[in-house]
Amino acid sequence: MALSISINTRPFNYLGLPAMSIPCGFDPNGLPIGLQLSGRPFAEGAVLLAADAYQRDTDYNARRPAIGAA
């Protein structure tokens, strides 16, 4: 189970690249979807700025899935 969860982050962890996931919508069942951003080594600030800009331009970070969805 742990390997299947980390499969999306393993390349970034191995290479030491900054990466983060932010909310970007919902699937047809109402479950949240995440957008993964990554940057060059030591570019944590750029990744944070990009995530902040995206969240300021959208409202996905404020939405919540309905209880009992799916």
Side-chain angles (χ1 to χ4, degrees):
M1 176 74 175
L3 290 178
S4 63
I5 292 173
S6 68
I7 195 162
N8 294 324
T9 60
R10 197 174 310 138
F12 303 103
N13 294 339
Y14 178 75
L15 296 172
L17 301 175
M20 66 184 304
S21 179
I22 57 175
C24 71
F26 296 88
D27 73 7
N29 295 319
L31 299 174
I33 299 173
L35 167 68
Q36 188 170 5
L37 301 174
S38 66
R40 296 187 289 206
F42 308 107
E44 288 86 351
V47 173
L48 290 170
L49 286 173
D52 180 63
Y54 181 82
Q55 288 193 332
R56 288 178 187 268
D57 199 43
T58 66
D59 67 346
Y60 295 119
N61 60 308
R63 295 186 194 178
R64 301 291 180 260
I67 301 295

